[in-house]
Amino acid sequence: SDVYKRQEQEELNLDDIYEHINALEEHRKECEKTGKYVEAQMAVVKIEELREEEYRRRKEFLKQRHLNEKLQLEEAHLMEFNQFNEFWDKKMEEFNQEASALEQEMVNRHQEELGRFQEELEKSIPERPKDSTELLNLRMIEQNLARQKEYLEAHKVQQQCRMIENDELNKWQFQRDQKIRNQLNQLVTKQQNELAALRKRITSAQEEQRKSRSVELERLLQKYQNMKRDLENQQVVELQRLDKSSKNKTTASVYNKSFVSSKYGSRMRPGSGVKPVSYTHLTLPTIYSVQISVVAVSLKKK
């Protein structure tokens, strides 16, 4: 706000200068009509001084405006840059959360699937094997010996049957456990491959996001650089136009000042009886009376 107040004050000051220049121009024309050429020339010199002051203030005001434009561009770029990062941070965080949820969902589903499959295997594969032919024959012999009341021989065959039965049971249980373990391992391997494929897709998508973000960031930065370059070029053109305009306005002042110094300088030395033109810097109004004293002559113009 302070900057804008200073700019408004500068504009007011420039308006004052314009009013003074207009007043002096009117006075110069009047002097030219009435043949008061010395007074007219002194007005020309003062006009050039005011134009130099006008140029200085216009250039200062222009530089301040250029600085404000650069600051506004910087602020707009910073805001857009922050919004860009907030957007992509949020987008990537949401994607990561969704990916984690999908991964956890798959892990839970695999665990449930593995549990159900194990239960099915436990039910589908008997815990005890079918009796072998050898064991069945021995049991028939045992029964025949018992019917023949040959109990000692039957007992011996009975012990032999129990040994064979235990051996076959242990062998069966080992084979059963091995079969269940192999099928479970096959399912686990399948699930691991499925989970690895999901994680690979997630990683690929994350990499695509990072690439897209990098490309968009590069575009954003390039856009800022282009706008900054265009603004700087425009400001250079404005300064060049101001300098050219001021140069054109002050070209005639070199001759005017030298003319006053050489032609009328001797007449305006102390004691010559000629009084110099008296101006009050930046105090001459435009719509009120203007009084300029030249060679003891007063002129009032309404």
Side-chain angles (χ1 to χ4, degrees):
S1 59
D2 293 339
V3 172
Y4 295 128
K5 289 180 180 179
R6 287 197 300 270
Q7 291 179 357
E8 292 175 359
Q9 186 63 35
E10 288 291 340
E11 291 176 354
L12 292 175
N13 292 337
L14 285 174
D15 290 339
D16 292 340
I17 294 176
Y18 296 149
E19 290 179 359
H20 284 73
I21 292 176
N22 291 335
L24 288 169
E25 280 289 348
E26 292 297 326
H27 175 65
R28 179 193 62 78
K29 292 177 182 179
E30 185 65 24
C31 290
E32 182 181 332
K33 290 179 181 180
T34 57
K36 299 176 181 179
Y37 301 122
V38 175
E39 189 173 347
Q41 183 59 38
M42 295 301 293
V44 170
V45 173
K46 186 59 182 179
I47 289 173
E48 293 304 325
E49 291 178 356
L50 290 176
R51 284 178 176 170
E52 289 178 2
E53 178 66 16
E54 172 202 356
Y55 165 73
R56 184 189 67 80
R57 296 194 182 187
R58 285 178 61 191
K59 190 169 186 178
E60 181 180 351
F61 171 76
L62 188 59
K63 287 183 176 180
Q64 184 61 50
R65 180 167 66 81
H66 288 174
L67 178 60
N68 292 339
E69 290 173 348
K70 289 180 179 179
L71 291 176
Q72 290 174 0
L73 179 61
E74 289 285 349
E75 291 175 359
H77 170 65
L78 181 60
M79 181 181 298
E80 189 174 8
F81 180 76
N82 291 335
Q83 291 175 350
F84 172 86
N85 285 330
E86 289 175 3
F87 169 79
W88 276 102
D89 289 344
K90 181 179 179 181
K91 182 177 181 179
M92 297 179 75
E93 179 62 25
E94 290 177 350
F95 177 82
N96 291 337
Q97 291 178 356
E98 182 179 355
S100 297
L102 288 174
E103 185 175 342
Q104 187 60 45
E105 180 182 354
M106 178 173 287
V107 170
N108 295 337
R109 179 167 56 82
H110 285 173
Q111 290 178 349
E112 294 176 359
E113 182 182 8
L114 185 64
R116 289 194 302 270
F117 185 64
Q118 186 172 2
E119 290 178 1
E120 291 174 0
L121 289 176
E122 294 286 348
K123 292 178 181 179
S124 62
I125 302 177
E127 295 183 359
R128 298 182 63 86
K130 293 181 180 180
D131 293 337
S132 62
T133 302
E134 181 183 5
L135 182 58
L136 291 174
N137 291 332
L138 288 174
R139 285 178 177 171
M140 290 179 63
I141 293 172
E142 175 190 349
Q143 292 174 0
N144 291 331
L145 290 173
R147 282 194 296 267
Q148 295 174 6
K149 297 181 181 180
E150 296 182 4
Y151 298 118
L152 292 178
E153 293 296 328
H155 177 69
K156 291 180 181 179
V157 175
Q158 184 185 48
Q159 293 298 320
Q160 186 178 2
C161 287
R162 288 177 179 176
M163 290 178 61
I164 294 174
E165 184 178 8
N166 288 334
D167 290 341
E168 290 182 354
L169 179 61
N170 291 334
K171 184 178 180 180
W172 171 258
Q173 288 179 344
F174 176 79
Q175 293 176 347
R176 179 178 183 272
D177 292 343
Q178 188 68 28
K179 183 177 181 180
I180 292 175
R181 189 179 303 110
N182 290 338
Q183 295 193 29
L184 290 177
N185 288 337
Q186 291 178 2
L187 178 59
V188 169
T189 300
K190 177 183 175 182
Q191 291 177 343
Q192 288 177 346
N193 293 336
E194 185 179 359
L195 184 60
L198 174 63
R199 288 172 175 171
K200 184 177 181 179
R201 292 194 300 271
I202 291 174
T203 301
S204 178
Q206 289 173 335
E207 183 62 26
E208 287 297 324
Q209 277 192 337
R210 283 191 287 270
K211 290 181 179 179
S212 298
R213 179 172 184 168
S214 178
V215 171
E216 292 296 328
L217 178 59
E218 185 65 26
R219 290 177 181 173
L220 176 63
L221 296 177
Q222 187 61 49
K223 171 187 172 183
Y224 166 69
Q225 292 297 329
N226 294 340
M227 294 179 66
K228 182 179 179 181
R229 184 181 61 253
D230 293 342
L231 178 61
E232 290 174 347
N233 292 337
Q234 177 184 346
Q235 292 177 349
V236 168
V237 171
E238 289 179 350
L239 286 172
Q240 289 175 347
R241 288 176 179 174
L242 178 62
D243 291 339
K244 183 177 180 181
S245 175
S246 175
K247 183 178 180 181
N248 293 336
K249 288 180 179 180
T250 58
T251 300
S253 66
V254 176
Y255 169 75
N256 292 333
K257 291 179 181 179
S258 62
F259 174 80
V260 173
S261 176
S262 61
K263 188 171 183 61
Y264 301 101
S266 60
R267 299 183 183 182
M268 301 182 65
R269 290 193 296 270
S272 63
V274 179
K275 296 182 181 181
V277 179
S278 176
Y279 296 98
T280 302
H281 183 56
L282 295 181
T283 58
L284 292 177
T286 57
I287 61 175
Y288 302 103
S289 61
V290 178
Q291 182 172 352
I292 303 177
S293 176
V294 179
V295 196
V297 177
S298 296
L299 171 65
K300 290 187 178 180
K301 180 176 184 295
K302 297 271 187 178

